[in-house]
Amino acid sequence: MASTHGAAEVLVASNRGPVSYVVGDSPDGSGIEAKRGGGGLVSALSVVEDKLWVCAALDDGDRAAVRAGITEPGVRMLDIDPEVHTDAYNGIANSVLWFVHHMLYQTPLEPSFGPEFRRRWASYEAYNRAFAEALAEEAAPGATVVVQDYHLALVPGMLRELREDLRIGHFSHTPWAPVDYFRMLPDDIAEQLLRGMLGADRLAFLTRRWADAFIECCTRILGGTSGTRIGVHGLGADADFLRERAHRDDVEERLAALREQVGPGRKVVVRVDRTELSKNIVRGLRSFELLLESRPEWRENVVHVAFAYPSRQDLAVYRDYTAEVSRVAESINSRFGTPGWTPVVLHVKDDFARSLAAYRLADVALVNPVRDGMNLVAKEVPVVSDEGCVLVLSREAGAYEELGEDALVVNPYDLSGTSDALAAALGMPEDERVERTKRLAAAATALPPGAWFLEQLEALRD
């Protein structure tokens, strides 16, 4: 590490940064083209101009840019050994920590923590250490550092050992596991994770439920939170951006195409998700199938527009789940479809403009995760919907804490209950639907991304 500190006053650390690089034609002739990223975090951080974003090089294009000295202002991208990154990202973060916090294990068979897990854990430690050292090098005296998510749970403690002068925060975008589930991790690993996070001055979560679960883990395993402050910041939807973006020409074109696919006079049930195991897409499809089976009056009168965008396809369990989503959709269409009606319109190619078009078209939005840190789709659909939309919402989504009063709430494992909720949503009187949508949109936009991040900075500096 350099003997003198850097000049950055506000630093953000996350696995994925605000820019990525592609090897090919480029305007500057370098053969490497920069592509700006999107998403809630990029939007949130745009309110802070003078910041440094520390992130990882995720692929060959990113690594080529780092090695060529190509940098974007305000970004430091770390060229971490690809095998270390794969072990840390896929082997630990996405295959262990994500599964623990979303309670996804089939416990009769998994998890099993043997030598291979320990090897990958060493890579996770090395990956976190690389971030801690870069942040320590770049931060000005007394700077504020905000670390993002489960990929970097050890960074606060490592950074604290290097720089006692810094204000360090950590934000968790996932749920936090109940203590008895969290303790499936090896005892030393569970303790190391908690102590790593408690190196921060302040930890923050999306809901009070997740914050309380973390506190209980610390109390039961460590005896307390060691003076680290705990806060809650419920990330909201960016209403101004969404409403403007949802009426651009490309969205209008996709809206017209979706209307043609649905057909005239039919109600529309919409879901927009990644094919992430926790999103519960298969049970959602099965619940829609049960609606058609038990309430034949809805046959040919409703279409389920389901967007299931592939996620983490380098992991076999995700590839299998994505295939099952397609198989179930095809089965429903084969069973109930007619020459003039396709019950499930499934799209698997990511298309943000088409997602916004579906939001506008929705009579009902189905958001039924088995467990979710927040779920911004639940917040975005009411903001964009043209005619008002009923939200069928899992009680296991973080968004339930803010939206549950005006949604139709379901147990995500209960197909019959979800089918009944869909029927109630489809039959809801227009005036009630419109009023619920107004209240949902107001709650969903209470803390938009920029305000969400500034609130954290203010609390950390207090």
Side-chain angles (χ1 to χ4, degrees), residues 212-372:
D212 288 346
F214 176 82
I215 292 170
E216 186 177 7
C217 285
C218 291
T219 301
R220 293 266 299 273
I221 295 171
L222 302 178
T225 57
S226 303
T228 297
R229 291 178 291 142
I230 311 294
V232 173
H233 307 277
L235 176 62
D238 188 340
D240 292 340
F241 165 74
L242 287 169
R243 288 173 178 147
E244 185 278 326
R245 182 67 182 85
H247 288 84
R248 293 185 194 173
D249 290 346
D250 58 344
V251 177
E252 297 288 354
E253 291 172 6
R254 286 158 177 79
L255 182 59
L258 284 175
R259 285 194 172 119
E260 186 173 346
Q261 284 185 294
V262 168
R266 291 181 175 131
K267 295 276 191 177
V268 180
V269 176
V270 166
R271 79 171 305 133
V272 178
D273 282 307
R274 293 175 292 110
T275 50
E276 161 55 54
L277 306 181
S278 63
K279 299 298 184 182
N280 208 24
I281 300 170
V282 170
R283 287 192 189 92
L285 290 168
R286 290 298 189 195
S287 298
F288 181 74
E289 181 179 34
L290 186 56
L291 171 79
L292 300 179
E293 180 182 293
S294 61
R295 293 172 171 84
E297 67 272 19
W298 282 111
R299 296 176 194 171
E300 300 203 60
N301 289 315
V302 64
V303 172
H304 186 11
V305 174
F307 296 166
Y309 301 143
S311 174
R312 300 176 183 169
Q313 294 299 290
D314 44 355
L315 298 176
V317 65
Y318 282 82
R319 293 195 298 272
D320 293 344
Y321 188 73
T322 301
E324 180 66 5
V325 168
S326 295
R327 191 193 69 77
V328 172
E330 291 168 5
S331 171
I332 296 170
N333 288 338
S334 176
R335 181 181 177 192
F336 292 104
T338 67
W341 172 58
T342 302
V344 179
V345 173
L346 178 68
H347 287 279
V348 297
K349 184 177 180 182
D350 197 347
D351 185 330
F352 182 56
R354 188 174 57 210
S355 296
L356 291 174
Y359 288 179
R360 289 181 55 187
L361 189 62
D363 296 295
V364 178
L366 176 58
V367 180
N368 68 319
V370 296
R371 196 165 165 84
D372 216 337

Side-chain angles (χ1 to χ4, degrees), residues 19 21 28 32 34 36 52 64-77:
V19 64
Y21 296 93
D28 62 3
I32 300 174
R36 301 298 299 182
L52 179 69
V66 174
R67 293 165 189 173
I70 297 173
T71 59
E72 293 287 303
V75 178
R76 177 170 171 183
M77 189 172 279

Side-chain angles (χ1 to χ4, degrees), residues 17 36 59 73 87 115 139 146 152 154-155 178 182 238 242 255 286-287 390-391 412 439:
R36 301 298 299 182
D59 54 27
D87 282 344
V146 185
L152 301 175
L154 303 181
V155 167
F182 184 75
D238 188 340
L242 287 169
L255 182 59
R286 290 298 189 195
S287 298
V390 184
L391 176 63
R439 293 193 295 269

Side-chain angles (χ1 to χ4, degrees), residues 400-457:
Y400 164 73
E401 217 167 87
E402 299 165 81
L403 307 183
E405 188 173 336
D406 290 299
L408 299 186
V409 178
V410 297
N411 173 344
Y413 302 97
D414 183 356
L415 302 190
S416 296
T418 304
S419 176
D420 291 343
L422 289 173
L426 289 165
M428 185 176 289
E430 180 181 358
D431 57 347
E432 181 181 354
R433 185 184 75 235
V434 170
E435 286 305 311
R436 282 177 181 256
T437 303
K438 289 179 182 177
R439 293 193 295 269
L440 286 167
T445 56
L447 193 64
W452 167 83
F453 187 69
L454 290 175
E455 188 177 86
Q456 291 177 66
L457 284 183

